[in-house]
Each structure stands twice: as structure tokens, then as C-alpha cells.
Amino acid sequence: MPPSPVASPSTAAERTRQLRLVAASGLLGTAVEFYDFLVYGTVAALVFGELFFPGADPAVGTIAAFGTFAAGYVARPIGGIVFGHFGDRLGRKSMLLLTMGLMGGASFLIGLLPTYDTIGVWAPVLLIALRVVQGVAIGGEWGGATLMVVEHAGERRRGLWSSFTQMGAPLGSLLSTAVVAYVVTLPKDDFAAWGWRVPFLFSVALLGVGLFVRLKVVESPLFAEVKKDRAESRLPILDVLRNPRPVLLACGVGIGAFTAQSLLTSYMIAYATGIGYARPQVLNALTVSACVALVVLPCASALSDRIGRRPVVLAGAIASAALAFPVLALVDSRSPGLLILAVVLGHGIAQSTMYGPLGALLTEMFGTKVRYTGASLGYQGATLVGAGFSPMIAGSLVAGSGNSTPVALLLCGGAAITAVTVCFVRETHRGTLDDSAARPSVPHTEEISA
């Protein structure tokens, strides 16, 4: 693939216009990606067990369905490495167009898949294969979308501008929940026969909107400088792994947010419906939580521009751990109103406070020559550890214990990892993204490739 054309806006007005366009591109692109990714998790909790893994005990079928959910997370670091490499070598924009196309295409094909009753074992095999393609695509999406915004933004409000990309997650969740909430009103047989396909097929429309906006943005100005000086890294992944500490810290910082995200969204659908809630009640709770997150995320990110990334992330981690058992107690009350309160507290507020500053924090930890690779690898490693296996582990433990205590313990464990790790990360909100600054991103560690 040829390098993306580079254009550098020359006037302040044009730079501001481009920044807004890049922020909109990040928001819409990430929303499309997360819509596709989260639709799978939602539908997997509702119907994939019986359609693609029939004949198994319902609990086993749910665990198997979440196993394919985990397959997408396993593939995400691969996508981060592959697209990170070419994004650092050829340009951010071209990779973002490719990841969006792959994601939308895989989701559309899932909507066309025959079930186990039609083609037997090939049904789950093809489902897993397409899920891996989704994982590879989203593995390259977040890093590119976030650093495009951060590299276009000024030094004082990188956190706020990067929050637009972070807001793509709850916006995608809101869209996926709304579409699924509509189709689950169908009679059960109709939903199982064809209704579940509608959210996947609808992704084509979202893909068209996202690509239209993304085609209008120009390449990152910092990457343009690297290309002009012929200073790009030949093998970004090797440069990153020569000094792995920033990647490991980036991964650890994000684990709490992704553990909470997976357990209080995708897994919560399976758990709550299993203890007696109606599907629309659970989806309503997720919808309200996503709306709250759309407010909390930019507020937390803007606050991180003023007081620092670390204290905001730490506050979110402490809140997540403190609320874990109360949140699950509210869910176990079997009250629809308390279910909404539980998901809003645990996901809409605590998780969003952790998640908001991550976009700026992780991109600020790496130099321009390897930023796409480094930030993507750290972020996707966090999703793999924090979110990839949490629903499957929670489902197994809850099936064995018969109560929600394992879910609360997993939430506390993820939050504790984030809280400890963030103490070892150097504050970055006042630093520069210019590699010539040679600013260490962690204590006693030189910035990678600076």
C-alpha cells in the first residue's frame, strides 16, 4: 500500500478545522469499530450459544460463545503490531481506512453466516475466523485514531481532544444496544431465525458514513516531519521491544478499565438475564450507562489536562474497586431501577473515569517514530488481559459458585492492577510530543526512539 499523501495545514484556522475533522473522524471511526465489536458480544450473550453451539448445556453454550468473543481479543495485539508497523512506516490515515473496511466487511459477513443446523461444525469455525478478522481490525484502529487526534492537537488540551476517540466506545455501545434492543422485541423464533442478523448487516451503513469522514482528513503533521527527515523506524516493533517497560506499563494501566468494560456490558447481559431480568431491562441499563459515559469521558479527560493523567486514572481505579461489591449487590436485587444504577455507577462513572485519559496517556509514552506500534501494543495487550477472558472466566466461576462474588473479585483485581501500575508511570500531561525533547515516559527510562 503506498504511503498516505501528506498535507500540512498552513493557517491557524485551517489547523483548527482539521483538528475538528480529525476528532470527528476518530469519534465516528471508533464508534463504528466498537459498534461492530460490541454487537458481537451482545448477540453472543443472547443467542449464539444455541445457534452455533447447540446440544450443550446452556451455561456451557454461553461459555463457548464467549470463547469466540475472546478470540477477537486475542487477535487484537496482532492487529496492533501489523497496522502499527505500517502506520509508523507509511502513514496513519491509510491504515485507518483499511482497518475500518476490514471491520465492516467482517461484521457484514457474520450477518450472512449459516448456523450449525445448516452447515454443521463449519458454522462455529467460520464465526471464529470472522471474529479474528474483527479483532485484527480493531487492534489497528484505536492506536491510529487516537494518535491522529493527539498529534494534531496542541499541547494544552491533548486529553480533551483525545476523549473524542475514547467516546467512540460508549457511542458504539449505545448504537449496538439500541439496534439490538429493537430486534429483541421480535418474537423469540423470529429473533433466532433472522433478527439477530440485522445489527451485523446494519454495520454497512455506519461503515459508509465513517469512511466518508475519514477520507477528508490529512495526515498527522508530526508523522509528516518524520517522513520529511527520513527518520522513520525500519522495524518499529523491534524498537519498542528493545525497551519493553513502557509497553508493559501501558498494558497494566489499562487492565482495570477493560475488565470493568467487559464484565459490566457484554457479560452483564448474560448474567442479568440468567437471574431473571428481561432482555429489554438489561439493554435499557446499558443504554443509560452509555449516555452517562458520553458525559464523564470528556470531563475526566479535560480534568487530566489540568491535574494530570495519573490522578484521574487512579481515582477511577479506586472507585471501581470500592463499588465492585455494591454494584453486584444492586444487580442481584433483581430490581430494574437498581440494575440501571449499578451499571451507571460501575461502568458509566468509575470505568469511564479510568478510560478517559488513557488515549492521551498511552500515546504520550512513545516517540513519533514508533507511537502507532507502541500505543497500540500497550492498549491491545490491556484489552486482551482485562477484557478478552474476563466474561469466560466469570461465566465459569459463577456457574460453579452460584453467586456474583467472582465477578466482584475480578472487578477489584483489574482495578488493583491499574492502581498499582499507574504509580510507576511518569506524568505526561505537561510534556511535548516532539521526539527531540527526549522526555522519559517512565522513571529512569529514556523515551523509545526519541
Side-chain angles (χ1 to χ4, degrees), residues 393-410:
I393 293 171
S396 301
L397 294 177
V398 168
S401 66
N403 60 62
S404 62
T405 299
V407 183
L409 290 175
L410 285 171

Side-chain angles (χ1 to χ4, degrees), residues 129-288:
L130 290 172
R131 182 63 177 170
V132 169
V133 173
Q134 280 191 325
V136 170
I138 202 170
E141 163 66 24
W142 179 88
T146 302
L147 66 87
M148 274 284 278
V149 177
V150 172
E151 289 180 351
H152 273 86
E155 294 182 5
R156 296 182 59 187
R157 296 197 295 173
R158 291 194 298 257
L160 176 60
W161 283 107
S162 70
S163 70
F164 284 87
T165 302
Q166 302 296 80
M167 289 163 65
L171 182 58
S173 176
L174 188 62
L175 291 171
S176 67
T177 301
V179 174
V180 173
Y182 175 75
V183 297
V184 296
T185 61
L186 294 168
K188 185 175 181 181
D189 290 343
D190 288 342
F191 178 73
W194 59 268
W196 67 269
R197 300 179 184 275
V198 173
F200 294 102
L201 300 178
F202 179 67
S203 66
V204 171
L206 298 177
L207 174 64
V209 175
L211 287 175
F212 176 78
V213 175
R214 189 156 280 180
L215 282 167
K216 293 180 174 293
V217 304
V218 300
E219 186 58 271
S220 156
L222 291 181
F223 179 78
E225 289 298 316
V226 168
K227 290 296 292 182
K228 184 173 68 175
D229 297 338
R230 298 183 179 275
E232 72 270 15
S233 172
R234 300 183 70 85
L235 286 172
I237 184 63
L238 293 184
D239 289 343
V240 169
L241 294 181
R242 285 192 189 102
N243 182 16
R245 190 179 183 189
V247 172
L248 294 175
L249 289 175
C251 177
V253 167
I255 284 175
F258 290 111
T259 301
Q261 182 187 64
S262 64
L263 292 179
L264 296 175
T265 55
S266 297
Y267 177 73
M268 185 54 63
I269 297 172
Y271 178 77
T273 54
I275 64 173
Y277 287 98
R279 289 175 181 175
Q281 292 174 334
V282 183
L283 295 176
N284 286 341
L286 294 178
T287 300
V288 174

Side-chain angles (χ1 to χ4, degrees), residues 1 76-92 94-100 102 133 135-141 144 372-373 376:
M1 180 176 293
R76 288 171 72 157
I78 299 173
I81 293 171
V82 172
F83 288 106
H85 172 83
F86 290 105
D88 283 326
R89 293 277 295 160
L90 302 179
R92 292 37 168 139
S94 57
M95 294 303 105
L96 290 175
L97 293 171
L98 183 55
T99 58
M100 184 178 287
L102 282 175
V133 173
V136 170
I138 202 170
E141 163 66 24
Y372 202 142
T373 300
S376 295

Side-chain angles (χ1 to χ4, degrees), residues 360-430:
L361 176 60
L362 268 57
T363 54
E364 289 165 349
M365 292 173 68
F366 300 91
T368 303
K369 290 182 287 185
V370 297
R371 185 170 290 128
Y372 202 142
T373 300
S376 295
L377 197 57
Y379 183 92
Q380 303 307 338
T383 67
L384 173 60
V385 177
F389 299 102
S390 294
M392 189 166 53
I393 293 171
S396 301
L397 294 177
V398 168
S401 66
N403 60 62
S404 62
T405 299
V407 183
L409 290 175
L410 285 171
L411 286 170
C412 289
I417 292 172
T418 290
V420 171
T421 306
V422 78
C423 295
F424 292 91
V425 176
R426 185 178 294 276
E427 186 55 69
T428 58
H429 76 298
R430 294 298 187 196

